[in-house]
Amino acid sequence: MARGSGVGEERTPPQGRMEGTRIAPEARRGRGATANPDGRFEATRREGFDDGWPEEAAGARRTDVTPERARHIITRNASPDISFDRSINPYRGCEHGCIYCFARPNHGYVGLSPGLDFETRLFAKPDAAALLERELSAPGYRPRTIALGTATDPYQPIERSHGLTRSVLKVLARFRHPVGIVTKSNLILRDRDLLAAMAAQDLVKVAISVTTLDPDLARRMEPRAPHPRKRLEAIRALSEAGVPVMVLTAPVIPSLNDHEIEAILEAAREAGAQEAGYVLLRLPHELDDLVGDWFTEHYPGRKAHVFSLLSGARGGKTYDAAFGTRMIGQGPYADLIRSRFALAKRRLGYSDEPLRQTTALFRRPEAAGDQLALF
């Protein structure tokens, strides 16, 4: 199970490198990953062998959530490829189980697998709201839009019981702080009251991810994410509430959902989306093996073609992390996707300029005892 060391390494489509870590279908019912490989930081690698005995029966794995006591909640970045320099992720791991999720390799930092562990062994940050209030109250803090849910979905199923995203939004609303939210869940409609009030002050924008309109494909590659129809309904409901919405066609996967670009943009525009964006499939670290094995199980006849097109858009590599091209690729295939997307946006009347949020209203709410300090 030896593997290469880094992003940008030349690789061929995975050929059996998940052996020994594959999970029986009955033990991963309703999950996205087909295997549970060791993380890249682990000193050991598992290998399977046939000892002549039948595989033991196993029940489907349940979701386990562990509290994570973070010291900070706002994460900073200096990437020129993205429009924000700070973000918040209330959860680590994501129960949606999207096989293509570029955040899967992050589970290696806590000694877990980017495969089945990523979608079943989750972490929640119960102090998220308190940490955020403390950080926004710091004397040297200067507001800029915070991106909520950049690695894992802030409205994944466990948000129903934990409510961390809503608690974070309440703090941002009190401070009149701008926020951009990325999700593929209609659970966001639970917070329509907060979002509508913030939108009236130009403090919020929501990006809804719609990767396909095909329910069968969605169920296979995003097993616990809401039905595509529900995402379009969320776009409509938010738009009608005055919340500006962007549709994300992310990721665009060669030979799998790329033919749907125009149909997705048309459906989202009809539902009220004002802005649109896309990202070409990214396969950092262990993700190429996981996605390759998923194709072997679900779409074996397309696997070689998918990886060939992707390699052509990544300079002959499975993945290239170079700034400027890592999100959209380069070469003939990437140029074709870029042109189709631009033409569809223009035809459908999407905004050419990003929808901006204001920082001018930011304030630190008075804490108890502040007035007494005046006397």
Side-chain angles (χ1 to χ4, degrees):
M1 292 289 291
R3 64 176 74 250
S5 60
V7 172
E9 174 195 5
E10 292 190 26
R11 302 183 184 180
T12 57
Q15 299 291 336
R17 286 182 283 187
M18 294 290 100
E19 293 294 343
T21 68
R22 284 198 183 96
I23 307 299
E26 62 270 17
R28 54 178 167 86
R29 193 174 298 113
R31 304 294 183 177
T34 57
N36 206 40
D38 298 294
R40 63 190 181 282
F41 300 118
E42 301 306 298
T44 60
R45 292 290 184 271
R46 288 169 289 170
E47 294 184 4
F49 69 95
D50 183 4
D51 62 1
W53 293 100
E55 184 175 352
E56 292 183 7
R61 186 183 296 196
R62 300 176 65 87
T63 301
D64 178 67
V65 184
T66 301
E68 180 178 338
R69 300 296 174 180
R71 289 186 294 176
H72 303 281
I73 198 63
I74 300 177
T75 301
R76 308 278 180 157
N77 79 83
S79 171
D81 283 327
I82 50 183
S83 60
F84 55 88
D85 69 352
R86 62 200 71 182
S87 60
I88 293 175
N89 287 286
Y91 304 103
R92 185 193 298 269
C94 187
E95 198 175 7
H96 281 159
C98 305
I99 186 58
Y100 52 73
C101 182
F102 68 88
R104 282 182 176 272
N106 291 345
H107 244 43
Y109 291 113
V110 289
L112 295 175
S113 173
L116 198 59
D117 282 351
F118 176 79
E119 49 194 289
T120 60
R121 300 181 65 179
L122 312 180
F123 296 84
K125 302 171 184 176
D127 300 328
L131 289 170
L132 178 59
E133 182 149 1
R134 185 186 70 190
E135 291 172 39
L136 297 185
S137 298
Y141 181 81
R142 297 293 178 267
R144 290 188 64 180
T145 298
I146 287 177
L148 183 57
T150 55
T152 56
D153 201 310
Y155 287 101
Q156 61 178 287
I158 60 173
E159 166 64 14
R160 292 189 184 96
S161 56
H162 288 262
L164 299 182
T165 297
R166 184 171 177 85
S167 68
V168 164
L169 282 177
K170 286 181 177 180
V171 173
L172 293 171
R174 285 177 46 242
F175 279 76
R176 298 180 185 175
H177 193 292
V179 61
I181 303 171
V182 181
T183 184
K184 54 169 55 75
S185 177
N186 62 327
L187 179 57
I188 192 173
L189 296 181
R190 179 203 63 188
D191 296 338
R192 192 169 8 183
D193 57 333
L194 289 172
L195 297 174
M198 295 180 77
Q201 298 177 307
D202 293 326
L203 292 175
V204 66
K205 177 172 75 173
V206 173
I208 302 287
S209 174
V210 182
T211 46
T212 180
L213 300 177
D214 179 351
D216 181 62
L217 175 57
R219 177 62 71 188
R220 293 185 187 209
M221 69 177 179
E222 308 162 335
R224 298 202 176 190
H227 191 288
R229 182 184 67 254
K230 291 295 184 180
R231 304 183 211 181
L232 292 173
E233 290 174 0
I235 291 176
R236 184 179 304 280
L238 289 172
S239 298
E240 290 175 350
V243 180
V245 182
M246 174 184 188
V247 61
L248 279 177
T249 308
V252 172
I253 304 176
S255 190
L256 190 66
N257 69 347
D258 54 357
H259 65 285
E260 294 190 74
I261 289 174
E262 290 82 1
I264 291 171
L265 292 183
E266 185 170 355
R269 182 66 178 144
E270 193 278 331
Q274 302 174 49
E275 189 181 344
Y278 77 95
V279 177
L280 184 63
L281 178 64
R282 301 168 57 196
L283 299 178
H285 301 298
E286 301 96 332
L287 202 55
D288 63 345
D289 290 356
L290 285 164
V291 170
D293 203 63
W294 181 87
F295 266 100
T296 296
E297 178 170 306
H298 293 282
Y299 300 97
R302 300 190 193 186
K303 177 178 173 180
H305 187 48
V306 169
F307 275 83
S308 176
L309 288 173
L310 193 62
S311 176
R314 299 293 188 190
K317 307 169 186 176
T318 298
Y319 180 56
D320 187 350
F323 289 139
T325 60
R326 64 177 180 149
M327 299 293 186
I328 57 175
Q330 57 186 331
Y333 176 78
D335 290 343
L336 176 61
I337 297 300
R338 188 182 304 112
S339 297
R340 286 175 55 196
F341 204 85
L343 287 171
K345 281 182 59 178
R346 190 176 307 120
R347 174 175 60 84
L348 294 167
Y350 278 97
S351 172
D352 288 329
E353 296 297 324
L355 304 170
R356 305 289 186 185
Q357 292 73 59
T358 184
T359 60
L361 301 180
F362 177 75
R363 64 170 187 179
R364 295 176 179 84
E366 292 180 353
D370 283 356
Q371 290 296 324
L372 293 178
L374 296 176
F375 297 94

